[in-house]
Amino acid sequence: MCAARLTMSRATRGLALAPIALILAVVTVAAQTSPPPSSLGVLVDQVLGLFPKLDGDVVEVVNDAVTLSLGRKDGLVAGIELSVYREGRELRHPRTGALLGRTEQGVGRVLVEQVFEGYATGRVTQGSDIRAGDRARVSAGKIQLTVIPMVEGVKDAVAQAAVQELVDGLTRTGRFQVASGDALVLALQQQGLQRSEILEGKGLAALAERHKIEHALVVHVKSVQKKPFMDVRLFALPGPSTLMTSGLFVPPAVRAAPKGGDFSASGQARGNQTARPQLSLLARLLTGELDSGAYSTGEGSIPLKEIAKYPFVVTSLDVAMAPADKVVRMVITDGQKVYLYRLVERALEPEWTWAADASAGVFSVQLADLDDDGVLEVVVNRYHPNPGIRVKSTILVTRNGKPVPTGGDSAQILIAMDVNGDGVKKTLWGQDFAQAGFYKKGQVERLVLRNGALVSDARVPVPSEFRATGATVSNIGGKDALRSVAYIDEHNRIRVSVAAQELWRSSSPVGGGGVKLPVDTQIERGGRTYIYHSEANPVAIDLDGDGIEEIVVVQNQVPGRMAVVFKGPAGFRFQSVNSGFEGTITGLGAIPGDPTPSLVVAVTRFYGLLTNAGETQIIMTIPE
C-alpha cells in the first residue's frame, strides 16, 4: 500500500502562502510501514536529535551564562534549548503518606552553546531568576511541534506529498505530537510578512502564547534549479530561538498523489453532483481554528457562543434532540448532581435537577431514548471505591417535569449507543466492573428496560480492549458499510472496529480530562490504590453533509485540543485541531444541522493543588 496523499483545500488554494492543513498530524496504517526517503530520514533524525530525554542540574549562573551538569555522555548537543524549573515542597498522599513528587515552578529556558564530556555551557533565553540548584530538562513526554508550510513555485500536490513524508517520519519516531500551523500562515500573511521574514521567525513570538505553540518547524517548499527544494527552520518559542536551519532537495521517491481521489473531507464533486464549496464544519475544523476568547467570525475561524458558565467542574456532558418534541436537550453533571436543560435559540432553560445520594459519585451522563417513546432518558454512571458499593448506575426518566430513577441500581458500567443510525441513542450496553482494569475485558451485554428493571438481552461482540467509556458508533466506513464502534483504549488511543475486528487505531494519544476512578486492592502488602479514568465520549457527526459521519474526540494531552477522525480512499485519517479553548475539555456533544451541525463543548479551567475545583464554560459552534 502506498502512502496516502491528501487533496488541498479549495477554499485556501491559490493563497500566496498555500496551506497544507490536511497533511499535518495525520496518521495512516500505510505511513507506519513505509519509512521516508533517506534524505528526509536524515532531516527527521536532525530534528529528533535536538530533543533527547534529559534532566540535570544548573551548576552555576554568571549574568546570563549558565553551566549545566549535562554533557556529551548524556547525549546533549549544542543548539538544544532546555526548560529550567525549580523544585519546591514534597507532595505526599494524604492517606498513605507515599511521596508523590515535588511541586515545580518554571523559571526560564537555556540555549546550550558548548558541550563537553561531563558538562555544558549556555545562555539564558527566557527568565531572569535562574540560579544554581535549579533543574534543566528536555521533557520525556511528546514534544509539541507545529509545522508551518509555505509553497512557492512548486505544484501543490508535490509540496503536499513532500511535507506529508516529513510529518509521517516525525510522527513515526513517537517523540512528537505534530499539529497544523496553517492558521499561523494566514495570520502572518495578514500582518504583511513575506516568506523570507516568516522563515526567519518574525511574527511567531506574538502568536505563540495565544496558540500554545512550543516549537515551530517552518517548511518552505520552493523551486531551486528547477527542482523542488525544502528550506527548513526549527524555532523554540516564544523566543523565537533558532534551533536548526537545514535544507534539501525533495527526493525523487516522493510522488504527488494521483488526481481524482475522493474522500469525506475533500469537497470534490461526487458522481454527477456539483462540487460543494469548502465551507463545511469539517473543512473549517481542518483548515481554520476556533477562538473561544474573541468568538471570531473572521475567515478561517469558527464563530462560537458561550451559552453557560458554571462555578464548578462539569465532569460529563451530552446533547441530543428529543424525537417527540424536536427540542434539543443538554445534560451535565458536577459529580454530585445531574442537570437537564432545554436548549432553545442558543439559550439554556432549566428542566430539572437530580441530586444523587452520598453513596456514590456520578462520573458520566448520557441522553438516550431507551423505550423508543420519543422522550429522552438520562443514563447515569455512579461509582464509589468502597468494595461493597463500586458501580451503582441508574436511569432517570422525566415524569410530571421531575426526574425519577428507574431500572434499579445496576452494578454495570452503562453506555448508550446509536447502533442503527437514528440520530439518537436507543441501545444500552452494560459492561461488568473488574478490580483489575476497572472494565471487564470483552464482557459487554445489550440491556433493555422491562417492567422497570434492566435485564440482559444479548451479548455484544466487541474487541477485548473495549471500555464502556469514551465510545461511540458511526458509519465512518461508508454509507453502505457496517456501523463501526470507535472507542478510547486504556493507552489513550482511539480505535475503530466492526464487531470484534479492529479496522484502525491512532498512534497519537487522545482523551484525558475524565474523572479519576480509584480502585483499592489488597494484592500488595499494605494494599494499593490504582487510578483509572473515565473519558468524554467522542461525537459521531456528519460534518460536511456527505452522509458519512466523522468522529470528533477530545485530545487533552494538550489542554483544550480536539482531533477529527475521517476516512479517505487510502484509509482512516487523524488530524489534531487547535481549538484555542483555554482549559480542559471535559464534555463534548453535537447538534445535527442542515447544512451545518454544531458542536457543544464543556471547557473547564481547573485550580487548586489537586485540580478538583474549577469553573466551566459551555461553548457551542454557530452555523453560518
Side-chain angles (χ1 to χ4, degrees):
M1 183 184 298
C2 63
R5 299 290 183 264
L6 298 182
T7 304
M8 204 173 286
S9 167
R10 296 195 308 156
T12 54
R13 189 181 300 142
L15 289 173
L17 305 178
I20 313 175
L22 298 183
I23 64 177
L24 304 181
V26 172
V27 179
T28 67
V29 175
Q32 296 173 7
T33 57
S34 52
S38 58
S39 54
L40 278 176
V42 171
L43 180 58
V44 169
D45 291 340
Q46 280 184 279
V47 178
L48 182 63
L50 292 170
F51 299 98
K53 300 175 183 179
L54 298 171
D55 201 334
D57 294 307
V58 174
V59 177
E60 183 182 70
V61 181
V62 179
N63 297 323
D64 66 345
V66 179
T67 302
L68 305 169
S69 66
L70 299 165
R72 273 194 292 265
K73 61 181 177 58
D74 304 297
L76 189 65
V77 296
I80 291 177
E81 192 168 57
L82 305 179
S83 299
V84 182
Y85 64 98
R86 184 168 301 145
E87 292 183 331
R89 67 185 185 281
E90 292 182 347
L91 295 177
R92 294 187 176 276
H93 194 285
R95 186 171 59 81
T96 65
L99 180 63
L100 303 177
R102 291 179 176 273
T103 60
E104 293 182 1
Q105 174 190 355
V107 293
R109 301 178 74 88
V110 171
L111 179 65
V112 178
E113 295 180 324
Q114 289 186 296
V115 180
F116 304 91
E117 186 61 24
Y119 70 98
T121 60
R123 60 180 174 85
V124 176
T125 58
Q126 182 181 333
S128 58
D129 189 33
I130 297 176
R131 53 180 183 254
D134 290 338
R135 301 281 292 174
R137 69 181 171 201
V138 177
S139 172
K142 285 200 173 184
I143 303 299
Q144 309 304 318
L145 186 63
T146 301
V147 176
I148 301 176
M150 301 184 295
V151 179
E152 179 183 6
V154 176
K155 291 183 179 179
D156 287 347
V158 174
Q160 189 174 335
V163 181
Q164 178 167 346
E165 292 281 7
L166 175 58
V167 170
D168 287 343
L170 291 168
T171 302
R172 237 187 327 268
T173 67
R175 192 73 173 99
F176 302 99
Q177 183 166 317
V178 185
S180 167
D182 285 343
L184 300 182
V185 175
L186 295 174
L188 293 168
Q189 181 193 33
Q190 291 169 359
Q191 295 176 21
L193 292 174
Q194 301 299 313
R195 297 184 188 92
S196 59
E197 295 175 312
I198 298 173
L199 201 59
E200 294 171 0
K202 292 184 178 180
L204 291 179
L207 298 176
E209 182 175 357
R210 176 186 173 192
H211 293 269
K212 304 295 187 296
I213 301 172
E214 297 178 6
H215 299 90
L217 188 69
V218 181
V219 182
H220 185 195
V221 185
K222 58 185 179 180
S223 180
V224 175
Q225 300 174 1
K226 298 182 179 181
K227 297 178 182 179
F229 181 85
M230 300 173 70
D231 194 348
V232 182
R233 311 288 175 89
L234 178 62
F235 298 97
L237 298 168
S241 300
T242 304
L243 300 184
M244 185 191 78
T245 298
S246 186
L248 72 159
F249 284 100
V250 174
V254 174
R255 302 291 185 184
K259 295 182 179 180
D262 177 38
F263 62 100
S264 181
S266 68
Q268 304 296 319
R270 298 173 178 86
N272 295 323
Q273 300 179 24
T274 302
R276 300 173 64 248
Q278 197 75 312
L279 296 175
S280 68
L281 180 55
L282 176 61
R284 287 181 170 270
L285 284 173
L286 296 181
T287 62
E289 62 174 354
L290 297 91
D291 189 340
S292 60
Y295 303 116
S296 170
T297 57
E299 182 180 357
S301 64
I302 301 174
L304 303 174
K305 178 179 175 60
E306 179 187 289
I307 59 175
K309 191 171 185 176
Y310 300 97
F312 53 77
V313 176
V314 170
T315 56
S316 182
L317 170 149
D318 195 21
V319 178
M321 179 181 289
D325 59 13
K326 304 300 180 183
V327 174
V328 175
R329 279 160 172 92
M330 182 184 81
V331 63
I332 64 170
T333 181
D334 62 355
Q336 299 299 323
K337 296 181 179 180
V338 177
Y339 305 85
L340 183 67
Y341 298 90
R342 296 159 56 98
L343 180 54
V344 180
E345 297 296 328
R346 302 171 190 165
L348 294 179
E349 300 175 356
E351 195 154 348
W352 52 250
T353 300
W354 180 74
D357 59 53
S359 64
V362 179
F363 68 87
S364 76
V365 290
Q366 282 185 289
L367 291 168
D369 183 13
L370 301 178
D371 51 9
D372 203 19
D373 64 353
V375 179
L376 296 175
E377 293 84 39
V378 179
V379 179
V380 182
N381 277 318
R382 303 172 63 207
Y383 175 76
H384 193 284
N386 187 319
I389 301 175
R390 298 301 193 193
V391 177
K392 191 177 182 181
S393 303
T394 192
I395 309 294
L396 300 178
V397 300
T398 302
R399 293 178 183 164
N400 300 319
K402 297 182 179 180
V404 178
T406 188
D409 289 331
S410 173
Q412 291 182 309
I413 304 110
L414 307 178
I415 187 167
M417 294 291 209
D418 179 14
V419 299
N420 298 318
D422 298 323
V424 63
K425 296 178 280 289
K426 295 183 178 180
T427 302
L428 187 66
W429 293 357
Q431 186 171 23
D432 290 337
F433 168 83
Q435 188 168 353
F438 201 89
Y439 306 91
K440 191 171 183 179
K441 291 191 173 184
Q443 299 294 312
V444 176
E445 299 176 313
R446 186 172 69 229
L447 306 175
V448 294
L449 276 170
R450 289 180 185 163
N451 301 320
L454 281 175
V455 297
S456 176
D457 184 57
R459 288 287 296 274
V460 179
V462 295
S464 61
E465 298 84 2
F466 176 85
R467 305 187 305 165
T469 181
T472 190
V473 178
S474 76
N475 70 344
I476 190 172
K479 294 180 182 179
D480 299 324
L482 295 175
R483 289 182 67 79
S484 306
V485 176
Y487 64 96
I488 301 172
D489 67 16
E490 62 180 321
H491 304 293
N492 286 97
R493 299 301 194 269
I494 187 166
R495 303 188 182 202
V496 178
S497 68
V498 172
Q501 180 181 1
E502 181 175 298
L503 303 179
W504 173 86
R505 77 176 73 174
S506 70
S507 63
S508 297
V510 298
V515 177
K516 293 181 180 179
L517 304 170
V519 177
D520 298 330
T521 68
Q522 298 299 320
I523 300 174
E524 295 89 347
R525 184 176 181 180
R528 182 175 175 181
T529 299
Y530 289 86
I531 302 296
Y532 302 94
H533 294 84
S534 63
E535 297 286 356
N537 287 320
V539 168
I541 188 75
D542 181 6
L543 294 172
D544 57 355
D546 65 353
I548 300 174
E549 294 166 326
E550 289 75 35
I551 297 170
V552 183
V553 60
V554 303
Q555 195 180 21
N556 281 316
Q557 288 73 27
V558 177
R561 182 164 291 181
M562 300 186 296
V564 179
V565 180
F566 53 100
K567 190 179 181 184
F572 290 92
R573 307 291 182 140
F574 177 99
Q575 182 172 330
S576 295
V577 176
N578 187 8
S579 70
F581 294 141
E582 297 179 356
T584 300
I585 298 176
T586 54
L588 187 62
I591 305 170
D594 187 12
T596 307
S598 294
L599 297 178
V600 181
V601 185
V603 182
T604 298
R605 295 185 182 182
F606 291 97
Y607 52 77
L609 181 63
L610 301 178
T611 64
N612 57 359
E615 61 180 18
T616 303
Q617 289 177 289
I618 308 298
I619 300 171
M620 68 180 295
T621 63
I622 306 301
E624 291 198 338

